Amino acid sequence: MTSTDAAGRAPDPAPGLASRAGLLRAPVDPATVRAVALLAVGTVWLASAGTVVWVLVLVSSALVPALGLGLVALGVTLPAARAFAAVERARLAAQTGVVVPAPTPALPGLPRSWAGLRATLRDGRAWAAAAYALVGLLVSLAFLVVVVACAAGAVALVVVAARGGVGSAAGEAGLAWPVALVLGAVGAALLVWLGAAVAQAGGGLVLWLAQACLGPSAADLARARARDAEDDAEAARERAVVLSETRSQAVAAADAERRRIERDLHDGAQQRLVALGVELGVARRLAERDPAATAAALEHAHDEVKATLAELRDLVRGIHPAILDDRGLDAALSALAARSPVPVRVEAGAGLERAGSAAQAAAYFVVAEALTNVAKHADARSARVRADVTDDGARLRVVVEDDGRGGAEPAPGSGLAGLRGRVAALDGRFDLTSPPGAGTRLTVEVPCAS
């Protein structure tokens, strides 16, 4: 049986039997009211429709030896038992909030062939529903009688006490009138508590019978578990394939990044350092003969040093921006926006510091690449960057939007493709929407624990 209340918990049909506190509040517990209503309505319903069902099934079974006429009758009454079970499950859900799952569906309609009749006769859930119609009636009626008897006894004690009967009874028993009055009140209270506990127990038993007879069979549950296990295995296999692909993409991206760093060092900083060495050598040779040329050479060398430092800073920023560690993701995104030639509005939500360093670095590079594409290809007038943590606090989300010409595609080897691989390696989500002429929207989510 499955059901949930407003807090997502399954309601307990008999809290008075689960704990001492539940037993103490049983007379005023809403579960007791639901249980009494369940027993009362169930007794009437099962005494009418339920009796028709199990009597028809019983009579049809008795007619089987009479030239097989009962087999044809069972072909009609067993589907009727199925229909009765569906109505009973709906009644239980409406009265108690407890939902009994439907069993495996039967064949639609009445059997029209011997194979269909044989399948109907082998429908164990229909036979169980017919049995429930009888057993449920007996259980509901028995518990309802006890509950009514307890309530009647409690009312009788109260009435007798109010009319002074306790005094005369006390005199006959040799008890003082106040003592007899207290004993009568205690007896009435005990009967009320007993009736509440019996009502909850009866309601719980009826729901248990409904689960056993009207819900899925053990074989159905076993098949469902097998299907779930197969689905989980298939999902695990697909996940393994995805992880293998993302791992390959991450390795390829790391290799490409290594080659880029090597190329930038070789073509940029290394060449400038070589030129700087030449300039310093020239300055040393001219130091005594031509002070003016020496000063010019040193000035040029100084410019080369500044340019080299700038290139190294850009290179280091491409590996891991120091501003992330120093001032956080909000400041790092604002710095990217400030360097963009396209006006960019940055919106940072609360809680960004909860994201791990890898998640923040991924968000930074996503925004950096996206803003670079906006400046180079989008022909946009403005862009917006929004970073926040999802409501459950588990994922860091970054959205980059522009009002450019759209049509962006993460083609193999492109910067967007590299970003997709970086995000996939962190078990993140990469979503690019870029209809032609309608701007581009890039949404990335990565686990905060990354």
Side-chain angles (χ1 to χ4, degrees):
M1 288 179 292
T2 59
S3 175
T4 56
D5 57 13
R9 298 182 298 270
D12 187 355
L17 306 182
S19 65
R20 182 179 302 174
L23 181 60
L24 290 176
R25 63 173 178 267
V28 296
D29 196 319
T32 301
V33 179
R34 291 194 299 267
V36 173
L38 177 65
L39 295 175
V41 176
T43 299
V44 176
W45 163 250
L46 295 175
S48 54
T51 299
V52 172
V53 169
W54 70 262
V55 168
L56 287 177
V57 172
L58 182 62
V59 171
S60 299
S61 301
L63 290 177
V64 170
L67 301 178
L69 295 178
L71 296 178
V72 179
L74 285 173
V76 177
T77 55
L78 287 177
R82 275 272 193 167
F84 160 79
V87 176
E88 177 67 359
R89 288 193 298 271
R91 179 184 76 88
L92 296 176
Q95 286 197 271
T96 67
V98 176
V99 177
V100 179
T104 302
L107 294 176
L110 299 177
R112 301 180 181 274
S113 64
W114 170 246
L117 178 59
R118 184 169 55 184
T120 300
L121 295 176
R122 291 179 177 178
D123 186 2
R125 292 292 86 189
W127 289 100
Y132 171 86
L134 174 60
V135 178
L137 171 62
L138 298 177
V139 170
S140 298
L141 180 60
F143 277 89
L144 183 62
V145 168
V146 175
V147 171
V148 171
C150 291
V155 172
L157 285 176
V158 172
V159 171
V160 169
R163 295 175 61 89
V166 171
S168 59
E172 296 176 1
L175 297 175
W177 179 81
V179 175
L181 182 62
V182 171
L183 290 178
V186 171
L190 290 177
L191 286 175
V192 170
W193 255 275
L194 177 61
V198 169
Q200 291 189 14
L205 182 56
V206 169
L207 291 174
W208 179 84
L209 286 172
Q211 179 191 29
C213 299
L214 307 182
S217 65
D220 291 338
L221 294 175
R223 284 191 292 268
R225 286 193 293 268
R227 286 194 300 269
D228 291 342
E230 184 176 351
D231 292 342
D232 291 343
E234 181 62 25
R237 287 192 292 268
E238 293 177 357
R239 178 65 180 155
V241 172
V242 171
L243 288 176
S244 177
E245 293 176 353
T246 56
R247 183 178 59 185
S248 300
Q249 293 172 1
V251 171
D255 186 57
E257 186 72 5
R258 179 187 60 78
R259 289 196 299 270
R260 182 189 68 81
I261 295 172
E262 180 182 6
R263 183 175 62 252
D264 290 347
L265 285 174
H266 180 272
D267 298 339
Q270 180 175 329
Q271 296 300 326
R272 290 187 179 277
L273 289 174
V274 171
L276 176 62
V278 173
E279 291 293 337
L280 291 176
V282 171
R284 184 179 59 182
R285 289 193 297 271
L286 297 177
E288 296 180 356
R289 300 195 309 271
D290 192 349
T294 300
L298 289 175
E299 181 67 23
H300 188 269
H302 183 255
D303 292 340
E304 288 293 326
V305 169
K306 292 191 292 184
T308 301
L309 289 175
E311 285 193 3
L312 288 175
R313 279 194 297 269
D314 291 338
L315 181 62
V316 170
R317 187 184 298 115
I319 298 174
H320 184 79
I323 192 173
L324 270 180
D325 296 329
D326 297 338
R327 299 173 57 191
L329 181 59
D330 187 1
L333 297 182
S334 298
L336 286 176
R339 292 198 300 268
S340 173
V342 177
V344 179
R345 184 171 81 254
V346 177
E347 301 174 1
L352 295 180
E353 66 280 356
R354 287 182 291 173
S357 58
Q360 293 192 35
Y364 175 88
F365 287 115
V366 164
V367 174
E369 181 65 27
L371 293 182
T372 299
N373 289 341
V374 169
K376 289 183 177 180
H377 311 296
D379 193 21
R381 295 186 302 273
S382 63
R384 184 179 69 153
V385 175
R386 187 172 73 253
D388 57 11
V389 175
T390 55
D391 293 338
D392 58 3
R395 301 175 79 82
L396 173 62
R397 177 172 52 214
V398 174
V399 180
V400 182
E401 298 175 293
D402 67 66
D403 57 1
R405 59 189 178 187
E409 290 289 342
S414 66
L416 287 175
L419 288 180
R420 172 177 282 177
R422 180 192 290 266
V423 171
L426 295 176
D427 196 21
R429 185 175 70 88
F430 183 98
D431 180 41
L432 178 66
T433 303
S434 186
T440 299
R441 177 187 176 92
L442 173 63
T443 303
V444 167
E445 291 185 5
V446 293
C448 285
S450 297

